[in-house]
């Protein structure tokens, strides 16, 4: 893996390679964009290019230094990430923590990073820090990190990888060179999913569309959940504002856990897009192509304003659950508000 091998992000990679060729590497980068679109791979590639002894400013990807960076083992490349991320990657166990592993990046982790960056490099002249899920820094951690951005150690490059750039303080964003990563082309994601998961072409394409151009999410999608999407969509479209019991039953069925609720909401956001496309006569772009007739029926009884409101409420529920809101309660609130307005 090198910068040149990162697929689907030509603008971002071209900008980084130009900075390397011109000797204009910034002391801090903010790689911003959706989850699973190549930001972390690009961070690894940039770290390799900055420290590779074989091909400086390019990175060979095969020397001992580059291989250790890819494995997270290089002494001069420091990785920082939330504790729950470390657990999910198998880098730590739940028994290593007292209580539930934190989903935040804490100020203690930032201070530990600052101590490491103050030391001289062991093998490379340049030190690199890769901060995964940088948006997870709590306020204290962000304020502590500002000191490093304002007075960066010499020969140091900081790479912040963030899925939600707006959660970072404006002062942090303004001190970083921003590199934007967009959703990957559906065709690219579908091809990789088909190859790696041995799925048929239609299922792989559906997974790519539902993942919103995120290869990571497409590879992690539960194929059984894909097959159940029709039941979720059909149940949702059968809901009516006057049937309060039906609304509560839907929330109960899909709000049993955070993962279940997020999966249902993600599917309904995509379905709302399908209905909007059907309403505009753009059925070739439907994600749920096997539900074309249902999309037409839903489009016929919906207005543009209602679909816009539905999208806003669905995204609001997703955001609330991401902030640790009770999944079932957030689904209930969203459904009651949505169908109460629709019935007016």
């Amino acid at each position: 893996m090198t910068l040149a091998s990162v697929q689907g992000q030509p603008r971002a990679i071209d900008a980084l390679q130009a900075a390397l060729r011109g000797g204009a590497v910034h002391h801090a980068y903010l790689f911003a964009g959706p989850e699973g679109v190549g930001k972390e791979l690009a961070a690894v590639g940039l770290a390799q290019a900055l420290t590779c002894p074989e091909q400086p400013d390019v990175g060979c990807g095969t020397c001992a230094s580059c291989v250790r960076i890819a494995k997270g083992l290089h002494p001069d490349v420091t990785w920082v990430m939330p504790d729950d991320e470390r657990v999910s990657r198998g880098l730590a166990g739940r028994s290593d923590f007292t209580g539930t592993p934190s989903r935040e990046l804490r100020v203690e982790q930032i201070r530990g990073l600052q101590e490491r960056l103050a030391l001289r490099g062991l093998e490379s002249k340049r030190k690199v820090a890769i901060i995964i899920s940088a948006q997870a820094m709590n306020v204290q951690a962000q304020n502590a990190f500002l000191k490093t951005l304002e007075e960066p150690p010499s020969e140091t490059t900081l790479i912040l990888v963030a899925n939600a750039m707006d959660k970072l303080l404006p002062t942090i964003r303004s001190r970083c060179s921003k590199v934007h990563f967009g959703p990957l082309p559906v065709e690219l994601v579908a091809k990789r999913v088909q190859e790696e998961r041995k799925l048929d072409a239609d299922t792989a394409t559906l997974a790519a569309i539902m993942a919103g151009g995120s290869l990571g999410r497409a590879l992690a999608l539960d194929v059984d959940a894909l097959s159940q999407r029709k039941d979720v969509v059909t149940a949702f479209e059968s809901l009516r504002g006057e049937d309060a019991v039906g609304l509560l039953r839907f929330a109960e069925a899909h709000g049993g856990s955070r993962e279940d609720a997020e999966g249902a909401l993600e599917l309904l956001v995509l379905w709302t897009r399908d209905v909007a496309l059907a309403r505009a006569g753009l059925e070739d772009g439907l994600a749920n192509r096997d539900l074309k007739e249902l999309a037409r029926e839903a489009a016929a009884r919906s207005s543009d304003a209602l679909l816009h409101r539905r999208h806003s409420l669905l995204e609001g529920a997703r955001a609330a659950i991401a902030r640790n809101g009770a999944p079932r309660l957030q689904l209930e609130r969203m459904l009651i508000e949505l169908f109460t307005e629709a019935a007016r």
Side-chain angles (χ1 to χ4, degrees):
M1 175 57 65
T2 63
L3 268 181
S5 62
V6 177
Q7 295 181 308
Q9 301 292 350
R11 294 182 62 182
I13 302 307
D14 287 349
L16 293 171
Q17 290 176 326
L20 288 164
R21 288 193 301 269
V25 175
H26 201 272
H27 76 278
Y29 285 95
L30 173 55
F31 289 3
E35 180 182 358
V37 297
K39 301 187 303 297
E40 187 172 328
L41 293 178
V44 170
L46 179 57
Q48 290 172 328
L50 292 170
T51 58
C52 180
E54 303 296 330
Q55 296 185 43
D57 299 328
V58 176
C60 69
T62 58
C63 69
S65 175
C66 287
V67 170
R68 280 185 293 159
I69 288 173
K71 292 181 177 180
L73 300 175
H74 197 289
D76 300 321
V77 179
T78 303
W79 293 72
V80 182
M81 64 187 73
D83 291 340
D84 72 333
E85 182 80 14
R86 294 179 60 211
V87 171
S88 68
R89 296 181 183 215
L91 301 176
R94 292 187 177 276
S95 60
D96 296 327
F97 306 96
T98 301
T100 303
S102 176
R103 298 174 63 186
E104 293 186 329
L105 278 171
R106 295 168 286 104
V107 66
E108 293 84 0
Q109 292 173 281
I110 299 304
R111 288 173 178 159
L113 170 65
Q114 291 168 334
E115 291 175 1
R116 288 202 62 175
L117 294 179
L119 302 174
R120 295 183 61 182
L122 295 177
E123 296 182 9
S124 172
K125 182 179 179 181
R126 180 169 290 274
K127 301 183 294 294
V128 179
I130 301 175
I131 298 90
I132 301 297
S133 298
Q135 76 282 348
M137 281 190 284
N138 59 32
V139 175
Q140 293 84 356
Q142 291 197 48
N143 285 327
F145 190 70
L146 266 176
K147 297 179 181 179
T148 302
L149 286 176
E150 292 169 348
E151 300 177 9
S154 61
E155 302 296 334
T156 297
T157 298
L158 308 168
I159 308 173
L160 287 74
V161 178
N163 301 333
M165 184 171 63
D166 59 331
K167 292 184 179 180
L168 293 169
L169 294 174
T171 44
I172 286 183
R173 300 198 300 266
S174 66
R175 286 168 171 77
C176 296
S177 177
K178 289 176 278 295
V179 182
H180 296 280
F181 291 73
L184 296 170
V186 169
E187 297 78 9
L188 172 61
V189 176
K191 181 180 179 182
R192 289 285 301 278
V193 169
Q194 189 174 5
E195 291 172 349
E196 296 191 27
R197 298 190 62 180
K198 310 303 181 186
L199 301 178
D200 62 85
D202 289 342
T203 302
T205 298
L206 178 61
I209 294 172
M210 290 191 65
S214 166
L215 177 59
R217 291 171 64 190
L219 290 172
L221 274 176
D222 185 348
V223 176
D224 292 335
L226 285 178
S227 65
Q228 295 168 7
R229 76 194 191 286
K230 185 174 182 178
D231 295 336
V232 177
V233 169
T234 302
F236 178 78
E237 285 299 337
S238 70
L239 296 174
R240 297 293 180 266
E242 62 272 15
D243 181 14
V245 173
L247 300 181
L248 295 178
R249 284 177 177 169
F250 186 93
E252 180 180 11
H254 301 288
S257 68
R258 179 182 172 216
E259 291 74 18
D260 289 345
E262 288 180 333
L265 288 167
E266 183 177 342
L267 176 58
L268 293 177
V269 167
L270 187 64
W271 173 247
T272 299
R273 170 187 174 275
D274 278 356
V275 176
L277 288 173
R279 181 171 170 77
L282 302 173
E283 294 178 356
D284 288 344
L286 296 183
N288 297 279
R289 298 169 187 174
D290 56 336
L291 300 178
K292 184 182 296 185
E293 289 301 323
L294 185 59
R296 288 174 180 169
E297 295 172 10
R301 60 174 179 264
S302 301
S303 65
D304 292 342
L306 178 60
L307 291 175
H308 183 272
R309 180 60 174 158
R310 178 191 292 186
H311 183 270
S312 297
L313 289 172
L314 290 168
E315 290 291 7
R318 290 174 72 178
I321 292 172
R323 295 193 298 269
N324 292 322
R328 179 176 173 179
L329 177 59
Q330 295 305 323
L331 286 180
E332 289 176 355
R333 287 177 174 174
M334 180 274 295
L335 291 169
I336 291 171
E337 188 170 353
L338 174 61
F339 285 95
T340 299
E341 289 186 7
R344 291 174 183 170

